[in-house]
């Protein structure tokens, strides 16, 4: 009789014991069909049952349950990947079965039989225009969800993929079926190519030979010890991508190993992918969030079989089923998007390090602006460091000028210029005009989409807020809507203040739409493009805008943080930061770090060609160290000021944090439960060695309601990682959450945001 441990996709922090079929060996990492609580589920075998732990039988019954079927004729997980997932489950205190499921393509995680036949995707399109509110009131009487779908579609330009839209709005497919029956929308089917990146012709760029600095980095990385981690700190434009390509060429083509290349989701553009495909052709598999289940499954299988040997992708590509892994490269390692926002809340950079170690591969973390966590590890000599100090071709980093917009606002301004001056200082205005005269291009960054930040009453200070979230609504101009960026709730702006009745509502704060409009009025002949979440919802919209900029069809590109990365256009000679303070005032200990990163990254977009370039940063806080050090592109100067500030109060990298959010639909119960959890935690903290753990809170979250759920949280601050793991696990397995009002606990270790 052989007993094995099986991780099932249920919120359990332990595996379950099952009886292996006598005639068939059951390997570690194999998918198996089992029955739990009367339901058939697909689990993954994590190993043989240790002799002393037969107590953990399903449902604590004495009878041993058999494995019903072994699937796939071989393990889907290699043993080192099972180890990585077990580490992840342990460290992030996540149910092991859910971790393993997240590591598999959904075609293998959900159903017993993979059904990779989804080659088509449904597109919703407006069939009947309802331009007036009266028409919409009539069409959607008592159907608010239909109205929501309609209005979102209208905002997105009339059509959108059904799955994305429904997921965004949290609406069931029945809603769109009903709308199609009414004739207001049309459901079309779009054929999907199995590998959407394969359809683009590869633009062959002439081969380049590495510079001396690049060659030194390539040499160091290809001779680095197995399991070592190296920070590749290279200023923007220093040619990090060529270093990655050459390292991969040596490790994959010459040594016959495999590799994972992680890039932030937003940087996973066809342009990026082309650079890898140009060198490695069909050895590359791209893992992208917009792949259908079938496409994802195909990519996974090609990697598993060894047909493709380099996985390029965002976050989840860290689980690529590769054997003989030789390198894991994480580009833009500081990016917050490497953190998964829902359970299991892992940080892909940190999983990458663990995975590389388990496989005996090298790990490379590349960036121009390292995270302070990584920097501390370099200072502690846990990670090696390589530097690319100069731009390729000797181009200087562009000079950066600061414009204090407090002073600018006080200066004399003609009434006609007032709206312009709220967006563009005289300096920025003049710089843009010069670019237009010379036929050069400009990029303007404002990290806030929409038209204005919020709508406020000038008489009573009332602010238009989301009825379901504690957050102000963002004013959008085309079409005119107030939208909550947390839950996508939308409403029409009122003409008078609902609180005092005065017609004194004003738009406050700037958004990208307003910048776009002001630019259009100021420079009527200029060709302006805007890039933010609202203009890039279509699959290729993002790439299309960039292609237009590359072909010289855009004079001014306005956008959110999306435009700060990876863009490399030699004719862009001006970068303007419209308001550097947008992120600086957030109640987040990383506010300065994020601002430094954003300003440095976007500054790096200027002057990439022989014409050079300049950067103008508008701010009300010109003395803030995030701004002053970004001006000289000096990361180590920033870190030297910022690191001591993280010591008291202590924040990462000085300590480790976990954020524990308790949410539910009733405010009183959420508060009560959070306070009880805090008392539980106070006792637990008293039992670990003094100073190892500290409890902060509980208190309401900074955003204390999202989508009708009230939110409280407490933060654990740890000087010992092990104490944090143990206490959190004990809390999550024993603290009794009342089964009422949808109460939930979310545990987030190494959070990227505490809001
Ligand atoms: P980073 O990612 O470090 O900001 P990139 O990898 O995008 O920089 O490189 C910046 C530019 O320099 C790109 O246009 C790239 O093609 C070019 N480049 C990189 N290395 C070389 C080289 N050795 N010779 C010529 N051009 C290079
Ligand atoms: Zn009012
Ligand atoms: Zn909301």
């Amino acid at each position: 009789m052989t007993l094995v441990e099986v991780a099932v996709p249920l919120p359990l922090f332990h595996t379950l014991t099952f009886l292996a079929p006598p005639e068939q060996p059951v390997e570690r990492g194999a998918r198996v069909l089992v029955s739990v609580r009367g339901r058939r589920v697909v689990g993954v075998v994590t190993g043989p049952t240790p002799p002393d732990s037969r107590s953990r039988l399903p449902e604590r019954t004495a009878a041993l349950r058999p494995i019903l079927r072994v699937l796939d004729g071989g393990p889907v997980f290699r043993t080192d990947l099972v180890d990585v997932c077990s580490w992840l489950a342990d460290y992030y205190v996540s149910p092991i079965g859910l971790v393993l499921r997240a590591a598999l393509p959904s075609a293998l995680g959900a159903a017993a039989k993979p059904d990779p036949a989804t080659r088509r995707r449904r597109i919703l399109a407006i069939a009947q225009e309802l331009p007036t509110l009266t028409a919409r009131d009539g069409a959607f009487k008592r159907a608010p969800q239909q109205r929501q779908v309609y209005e979102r579609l209208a905002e997105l330009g009339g059509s959108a993929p059904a799955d994305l839209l429904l997921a965004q709005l949290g609406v069931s497919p029945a809603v769109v079926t009903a709308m199609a029956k009414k004739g207001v929308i049309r459901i079309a089917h779009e054929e999907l190519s199995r590998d959407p990146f394969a359809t683009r012709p590869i633009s062959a760029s002439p081969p380049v030979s590495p510079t001396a600095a690049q060659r030194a980095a390539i040499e160091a990385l290809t001779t680095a010890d197995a399991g070592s981690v190296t920070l590749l700190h290279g200023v923007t434009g220093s040619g990090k991508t060529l270093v990655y390509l050459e390292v991969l060429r040596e490790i994959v083509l010459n040594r016959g190993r495999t590799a994972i290349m992680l890039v932030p989701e937003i940087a996973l553009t066809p342009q990026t992918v082309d650079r890898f495909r140009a060198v490695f052709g069909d050895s590359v598999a791209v893992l992208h969030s917009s792949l259908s289940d079938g496409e994802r499954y195909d990519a996974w299988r090609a990697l598993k079989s060894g047909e493709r040997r380099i996985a390029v992708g965002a976050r989840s590509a860290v689980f690529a089923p590769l054997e003989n892994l030789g390198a894991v490269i994480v580009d833009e390692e500081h990016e917050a998007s490497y953190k998964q926002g829902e359970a299991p809340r892992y940080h892909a950079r940190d999983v990458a390090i663990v995975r590389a170690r388990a496989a005996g591969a090298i790990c490379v973390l590349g960036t121009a602006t390292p995270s302070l966590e990584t920097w501390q590890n370099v200072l502690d000599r846990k990670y090696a460091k390589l530097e690319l100090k100069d731009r390729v071709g000797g181009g200087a980093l562009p000079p950066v000028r600061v414009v204090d917009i407090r002073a600018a606002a006080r200066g004399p301004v003609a009434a006609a210029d007032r709206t312009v001056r709220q967006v563009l200082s005289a300096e920025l205005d003049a710089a843009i005009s010069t670019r237009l005269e010379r036929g050069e291009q400009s990029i303007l960054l404002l990290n806030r989409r929409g038209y204005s930040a919020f709508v406020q009453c000038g008489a009573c200070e009332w602010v238009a807020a989301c009825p379901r979230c504690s957050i102000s609504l963002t004013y959008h101009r085309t079409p005119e809507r107030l939208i909550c960026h947390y839950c996508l709730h939308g409403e029409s702006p009122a003409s008078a203040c609902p609180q005092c009745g005065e017609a004194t509502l004003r738009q406050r704060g700037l958004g990208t739409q307003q910048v776009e409009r002001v630019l259009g009025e100021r420079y009527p002949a200029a060709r302006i493009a805007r890039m933010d979440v609202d203009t890039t919802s279509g699959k290729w919209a993002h790439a299309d805008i960039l292609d237009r900029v590359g072909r010289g069809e855009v004079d001014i590109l306005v956008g959110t943080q999306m435009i700060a990365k990876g863009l490399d256009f030699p004719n862009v000679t001006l970068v303007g930061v419209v308001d550097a303070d947008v992120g600086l005032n957030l109640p987040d200990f990383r506010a300065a770090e994020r601002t430094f990163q954003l300003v440095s990254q976007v500054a790096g977009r200027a002057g990439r060609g022989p014409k050079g370039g300049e950067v103008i940063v508008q701010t009300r806080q010109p003395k803030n160290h995030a701004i002053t050090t970004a001006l000289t592109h000096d990361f180590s100067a920033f870190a030297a000021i910022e690191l001591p500030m993280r010591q008291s109060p202590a924040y990462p990298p000085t300590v480790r944090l976990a954020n524990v959010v308790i949410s539910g639909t009733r405010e009183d119960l959420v508060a009560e439960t959070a306070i009880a959890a805090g008392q539980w935690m106070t006792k637990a903290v008293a039992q670990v060695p003094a100073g190892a753990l500290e409890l902060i809170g509980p208190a309401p979250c900074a955003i204390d309601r999202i989508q009708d759920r009230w939110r409280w949280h407490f933060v654990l601050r740890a000087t010992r990682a092990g104490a944090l793991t143990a206490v959190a696990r004990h809390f999550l397995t024993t603290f009794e959450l009342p089964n009422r009002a949808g109460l939930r606990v979310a545990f987030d270790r190494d959070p990227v945001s505490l809001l």
Side-chain angles (χ1 to χ4, degrees):
M1 184 174 78
T2 315
L3 296 181
V4 293
E5 293 299 298
V6 176
V8 294
L10 293 171
L12 298 174
F13 291 91
H14 52 83
T15 50
L16 302 176
T17 303
F18 286 90
L19 191 58
E23 71 287 0
Q24 201 179 358
V26 185
E27 290 178 75
R28 190 164 189 237
R31 292 196 313 146
V32 292
L33 190 65
V34 293
S35 171
V36 180
R37 293 176 197 156
R39 268 177 53 207
R40 290 182 163 209
V41 296
V42 177
V44 173
V45 176
T46 59
T49 303
D52 56 346
S53 61
R54 293 198 178 181
S55 53
R56 292 184 297 172
L57 300 181
E59 313 290 279
R60 295 189 197 84
T61 54
L64 273 178
R65 298 185 180 204
I67 283 174
L68 302 175
R69 194 142 45 90
V70 183
L71 304 167
D72 310 312
V76 290
F77 284 103
R78 273 175 51 86
T79 264
D80 60 345
L81 200 45
V82 176
D83 289 341
V84 170
C85 289
S86 305
W87 170 83
L88 195 162
D90 206 48
Y91 182 81
Y92 293 100
V93 201
S94 297
I96 173 75
L98 300 184
V99 171
L100 288 162
R101 187 174 66 178
L104 278 181
S106 56
L108 286 174
K113 232 211 270 141
D115 174 23
T118 28
R119 278 168 181 274
R120 281 143 68 91
R121 101 153 144 186
R122 295 196 307 157
I123 302 289
L124 304 182
I126 289 179
Q128 183 192 348
E129 293 288 345
L130 301 168
T132 64
L133 291 179
T134 343
R136 291 182 196 179
D137 288 344
F140 303 117
K141 206 180 287 166
R142 282 192 293 280
Q145 289 195 320
Q146 293 191 10
R147 182 171 190 147
Q148 225 185 336
V149 169
Y150 182 90
E151 295 188 332
R152 189 69 189 156
L153 271 179
E155 279 159 26
L156 295 171
S159 71
D163 49 350
L164 295 182
L165 191 85
L166 296 183
Q168 263 188 356
L169 296 176
V171 165
S172 82
V175 174
V176 297
T177 315
M179 292 174 77
K181 241 181 231 154
K182 265 194 206 169
V184 259
I185 62 165
R186 199 157 19 84
I187 304 178
H189 291 272
E190 184 186 63
E191 284 292 331
L192 281 178
S193 112
R194 274 306 188 75
D195 177 0
F197 286 92
T199 57
R200 279 175 63 96
I202 295 173
S203 45
S205 43
V208 288
S209 44
T211 62
Q214 285 171 326
R215 216 171 312 122
I218 295 160
E219 172 70 21
L221 291 171
T222 49
T223 54
D225 293 340
S228 64
V229 183
T230 307
L231 167 67
L232 178 63
H233 183 199
V235 298
T236 54
S238 60
K240 292 184 287 294
T241 311
L242 187 67
V243 173
Y244 304 150
L245 288 169
E246 292 304 314
V247 167
L248 293 175
R249 193 198 299 276
E250 169 63 22
I251 288 178
V252 177
L253 299 187
N254 297 350
R255 299 188 197 162
R257 301 185 72 176
T258 64
I260 297 174
M261 176 77 222
L262 296 185
V263 297
E265 181 81 51
I266 190 69
L268 194 53
T269 59
Q271 285 94 333
T272 307
V273 171
D274 284 356
R275 297 189 68 180
F276 291 92
R277 287 168 42 91
V279 177
F280 304 105
D282 284 343
S283 293
V284 176
V286 183
L287 301 168
H288 193 274
S289 71
S290 69
L291 296 184
S292 69
D293 287 353
E295 291 167 333
R296 187 170 285 277
Y297 177 67
D298 282 0
W300 183 88
R301 220 171 26 177
L303 290 164
K304 179 92 169 66
S305 68
E307 186 192 323
R308 302 201 176 207
R309 295 192 296 149
I310 300 178
V312 177
R315 214 161 50 212
S316 65
V318 76
F319 300 114
L322 290 161
E323 284 192 34
N324 196 14
L325 192 63
V328 183
I329 302 178
V330 185
D331 191 25
E332 308 283 0
E333 67 85 22
H334 63 278
E335 268 285 302
S337 67
Y338 281 125
K339 187 78 199 283
Q340 165 119 319
E342 54 205 54
R345 295 180 175 79
Y346 65 91
H347 199 303
R349 174 199 59 216
D350 297 331
V351 179
I353 292 167
V354 171
R355 174 123 200 235
R357 240 172 229 156
I362 60 158
C363 183
V364 184
L365 309 179
T367 176
T369 54
S371 63
L372 290 181
E373 286 82 352
T374 294
W375 193 247
Q376 188 65 53
N377 282 322
V378 169
L379 296 177
D380 295 344
R381 306 198 178 274
K382 289 183 188 151
Y383 300 172
K385 181 181 74 163
L386 293 169
E387 271 187 288
L388 297 175
K389 292 196 168 109
D390 301 306
R391 283 191 156 183
V392 174
L397 284 164
V400 185
R401 257 195 295 163
V402 174
V403 176
D404 185 343
I405 43 185
R406 288 170 311 183
R410 284 195 296 268
V413 176
D417 285 348
R418 197 156 288 144
T419 34
V420 172
R421 283 290 169 267
Q422 278 168 5
V423 177
L424 306 172
S425 59
E427 290 88 339
L428 187 52
D429 191 10
I432 295 172
S433 303
T434 310
R435 295 311 174 302
L436 291 172
E437 281 159 24
R438 289 197 212 141
E440 296 170 4
Q441 293 167 297
S442 307
I443 287 180
L444 294 189
L445 169 89
L446 178 63
N447 201 19
R448 188 157 50 205
R449 63 201 178 100
Y451 188 78
S452 62
F454 55 97
V455 169
Q456 189 171 33
C457 171
C460 76
E461 317 240 300
W462 173 87
V463 171
C466 176
R468 308 167 65 199
C469 310
S470 298
I471 197 124
S472 57
L473 295 171
T474 302
Y475 180 80
H476 287 246
R477 186 179 163 89
T478 40
E480 195 174 41
R481 300 285 284 162
L482 290 172
I483 293 175
C484 169
H485 284 186
Y486 277 81
C487 73
L488 302 182
H489 161 87
E491 59 186 57
S492 304
S495 52
C497 171
Q499 186 164 285
C500 72
E502 299 284 330
T504 46
L505 294 182
R506 298 227 163 76
Q507 292 149 23
R508 307 284 308 276
L510 279 181
T512 44
Q513 287 188 9
Q514 186 168 359
V515 174
E516 183 186 26
R517 202 206 67 184
V518 166
L519 289 170
E521 287 168 5
R522 184 72 175 174
Y523 314 112
R527 295 161 301 172
I528 300 166
R530 172 162 62 90
M531 193 156 100
D532 53 32
V533 175
D534 301 306
T535 62
T536 53
S537 52
K539 196 168 191 169
W540 300 117
H542 186 252
D544 286 346
I545 296 174
L546 295 182
D547 282 348
R548 275 167 55 213
V549 177
R551 288 195 303 265
E553 293 166 16
V554 171
D555 299 311
I556 309 175
L557 175 65
V558 184
T560 53
Q561 59 182 358
M562 268 188 196
I563 63 169
K565 283 171 208 111
L567 276 55
D568 186 10
F569 300 116
N571 199 37
V572 171
T573 59
L574 172 69
V575 163
V577 179
V578 176
D579 184 351
D581 309 341
V582 167
L584 215 44
N585 299 325
L586 291 177
D588 181 339
F589 70 92
R590 287 195 185 88
E593 183 179 351
R594 295 262 159 74
T595 301
F596 174 84
Q597 287 165 354
L598 191 59
V599 173
S600 321
Q601 294 277 351
V602 74
R605 301 309 119 208
R608 292 204 152 213
K611 293 176 196 158
E614 68 166 328
V615 181
I616 295 179
V617 177
Q618 303 189 140
T619 175
R620 282 175 202 78
Q621 302 176 52
K623 297 260 153 48
N624 189 296
H625 66 289
I627 307 279
T628 55
T629 54
L631 299 187
T632 47
H633 310 273
D634 192 347
F635 172 77
S636 33
F638 171 74
I641 300 172
E642 180 71 13
L643 276 175
M645 295 171 73
R646 302 274 179 95
Q647 274 165 14
S648 90
Y651 280 113
T654 310
V655 289
R656 307 211 182 200
L657 296 186
N659 189 27
V660 185
V661 176
I662 292 171
S663 64
T665 53
R666 272 183 51 190
E667 187 179 16
D668 55 344
L669 282 179
V670 170
E672 212 172 274
T673 309
I675 290 164
Q679 284 160 352
W680 189 104
M681 205 40 92
T682 307
K683 281 189 210 134
V685 165
Q687 281 163 21
V688 298
L693 261 191
E694 187 189 342
L695 170 68
I696 308 163
C701 294
I703 300 170
D704 65 8
R705 195 162 57 128
I706 294 180
Q707 298 206 8
D708 277 336
R709 296 180 65 83
W710 296 91
R711 308 169 73 236
W712 276 58
H713 70 155
F714 59 84
V715 173
L716 291 167
R717 177 184 272 164
T719 53
R720 293 205 198 171
L724 178 53
T725 311
V727 168
R729 192 183 169 106
H730 191 201
F731 174 74
L732 292 171
T733 47
T734 59
F735 179 74
E736 284 199 26
L737 203 63
N739 188 13
R740 299 168 63 191
L743 281 169
R744 280 206 293 265
V745 176
F747 176 78
D748 187 8
R749 184 165 196 169
D750 302 335
V752 294
S753 161
L754 296 177
L755 300 177

